[in-house]
Amino acid sequence: MSGRAQLMWDEAVTGYDFGPDHPMDPVRLALTRHLVDAFGLDKDVRVVAAKPAGESTLRLVHREDYIAAVKAASADPEAADGAYGLGTMDDPAFAGMHEVSAMIAGQSVAAAEAVWSGDALHAVNFAGGLHHAMPGSASGFCVYNDAALAIARLLELGVERVAYVDVDVHHGDGVQAAFWDDPRVLTISLHEHPRTLFPQTGWPQETGAESAEGSAVNVALPAGTGDAGWLRAFHAVVPELVADFRPQVLVTQHGADTHFEDPLAHLAVSLDAQRAVQVACHELAHEYADGKWVALGGGGYAVVEVVPRSWTHLVGIAAGREIEPEAMIPEGWRQEVFARTRQLAPARMTDGRWPVSFAGWDAGYDPADRLDQAVLATRRAVFPLRGLLP
């Protein structure tokens, strides 16, 4: 079984539930898992349910007093301490919050351990990618930062270079904060510009602490950016930096909320472009990290139309059995969607934009174009710090 792809899954993760009026509906996780099965991908991966992250693991990133506050709010939601970001509109407290948050973190940590040990070549935890949680507070629907915990565990195991690539529409602020002064971790985030979207961070000038200059990379994309611009920005920044850094493990976060149908943000990216970036990340892992790839989920609030399709593509890519964009979605899954949500499910695994195309950066740039200005701002801020030409 060594070297096979792993899918991290425990039905308990669907208990990560902030309530019926919260946009982060756990049905998106259940529907993704069922779509994976509907395509038979569960036969191409080893499905593993890992143990919840214990307190010593959580402390690799999170403060002891914060963990205690989460446990207290989990036992008595009415007693949630707002000073820790708990009991807020974004992060309402709920019974069992600590346990299920630790469960999600445990899946990502175990994914990292499996990939580093060689027990799996690729590992996917689409319930993970909760990248906003800070060492001492919940933030942006995120209680424990499983992405940062997975990276911290890799460092604890002796990994010397980890690259983290985050393509969620929101800035990966919690992961950046966790490794701000650690040159062993390269964090790259492509996101909607902080002027127009939470968490109002992720400016190109955020490049890491003095002891780790050039280890934080931020591409702040103009609202309205679509497929061609999004892919152009990704390929103008990410491959060159990953090639230079040569990580031993690549960790990626695939929030599906860049999609044009997502209700919480303002990019205009299709499912087909999301799939193209997933393929690109897989290729980068093989080219520069001996194939060692940990892929996480993240945001995504079009819970029927977008999230299950996007993350099922991700699982297929990791499993070595890519689903063709034009593939018809099994009727059984579509019926289940209607039974659960009373929404009509999509019929195919594409938005009709495959194959997606974009203009490469090597052909030159337009200084008057807002997308090119964003890319150039990042390259000028970071590339010289890494000894590369902007």
Side-chain angles (χ1 to χ4, degrees):
M1 297 288 279
S2 181
R4 188 177 177 185
Q6 268 188 200
L7 174 61
M8 312 305 300
W9 177 258
D10 188 310
E11 195 72 33
V13 301
T14 60
Y16 192 81
D17 188 351
F18 291 115
D21 298 322
H22 196 281
M24 200 172 201
D25 188 337
V27 75
R28 68 197 195 122
L29 302 178
L31 290 177
T32 301
R33 180 69 176 92
H34 287 296
L35 188 56
V36 165
D37 288 356
F39 276 105
L41 293 174
D42 54 321
K43 299 178 180 65
D44 296 283
V45 296
R46 180 172 43 191
V47 180
V48 176
K51 296 185 299 184
E55 190 158 336
S56 62
T57 297
L58 294 173
R59 286 203 306 265
L60 291 174
V61 168
H62 294 291
R63 294 199 323 246
E64 194 168 353
D65 60 315
Y66 172 60
I67 298 168
V70 174
K71 287 182 174 179
S74 185
D76 180 7
E78 295 296 318
D81 189 342
Y84 291 101
L86 301 168
T88 63
M89 187 175 295
D90 275 1
D91 298 277
F94 60 92
M97 180 172 63
H98 164 75
E99 289 77 11
V100 69
S101 299
M103 172 66 73
I104 291 171
Q107 307 310 303
S108 292
V109 169
E113 291 171 343
V115 165
W116 181 240
S117 70
D119 196 39
L121 187 61
H122 310 324
V124 179
N125 178 24
F126 58 73
L130 304 179
H131 59 169
H132 293 308
M134 292 292 175
S137 66
S139 177
F141 314 163
C142 305
V143 177
Y144 292 138
N145 195 319
D146 65 284
L149 287 163
I151 295 168
R153 178 63 176 142
L154 289 169
L155 299 178
E156 189 179 49
L157 291 171
V159 180
E160 295 174 350
R161 293 180 310 284
V162 181
Y164 171 75
V165 177
D166 187 320
V167 296
D168 193 288
V169 78
H170 302 91
H171 177 223
D173 56 339
V175 183
Q176 175 180 288
F179 304 106
W180 182 249
D181 58 358
D182 194 335
R184 296 174 297 174
V185 182
L186 175 68
T187 64
I188 307 174
S189 178
L190 281 80
H191 47 266
E192 185 179 326
H193 201 286
R195 281 198 195 95
T196 53
L197 195 66
F198 173 90
Q200 282 78 52
T201 58
W203 298 79
Q205 295 79 18
E206 297 171 32
T207 57
E210 191 174 341
S211 60
E213 281 191 329
S215 66
V217 183
N218 290 288
V219 186
L221 301 169
T225 296
D227 288 359
W230 194 63
L231 292 171
R232 176 170 167 80
F234 179 92
H235 286 281
V237 173
V238 178
E240 193 171 348
L241 289 172
V242 171
D244 171 69
F245 190 66
R246 302 201 73 83
Q248 293 164 288
V249 182
L250 179 65
V251 179
T252 58
Q253 196 268 21
H254 297 273
D257 44 9
T258 51
H259 196 272
F260 56 78
E261 289 199 12
D262 197 273
L264 299 190
H266 317 98
L267 295 191
V269 173
S270 72
L271 179 76
D272 299 297
Q274 290 177 348
R275 182 186 185 279
V277 160
Q278 294 165 2
V279 169
C281 288
H282 178 230
E283 291 172 349
L284 288 172
H286 278 282
E287 192 164 356
Y288 300 112
D290 293 326
K292 295 185 183 298
W293 182 33
V294 177
L296 308 174
Y301 310 100
V303 299
V304 167
E305 184 68 27
V306 179
V307 175
R309 293 191 297 162
S310 186
W311 292 346
T312 298
H313 274 305
L314 180 65
V315 174
I317 291 161
R321 189 161 75 80
E322 294 184 18
I323 298 171
E324 292 302 315
E326 289 294 335
M328 295 295 296
I329 292 175
E331 182 60 28
W333 184 81
R334 300 180 72 235
Q335 290 174 0
E336 182 180 357
V337 166
F338 188 77
R340 280 176 174 258
T341 69
R342 290 298 184 262
Q343 293 184 49
L344 295 177
R348 294 182 183 269
M349 291 294 285
T350 179
D351 284 331
R353 299 187 183 181
W354 190 267
V356 289
S357 61
F358 65 96
W361 190 255
D362 289 346
Y365 62 89
D366 179 357
D369 181 82
R370 291 174 66 221
L371 186 282
D372 284 4
Q373 290 170 358
V375 170
L376 195 56
T378 299
R379 291 180 62 98
R380 284 174 171 164
V382 175
F383 278 47
L385 296 175
R386 303 206 64 87
L388 302 172
L389 293 174

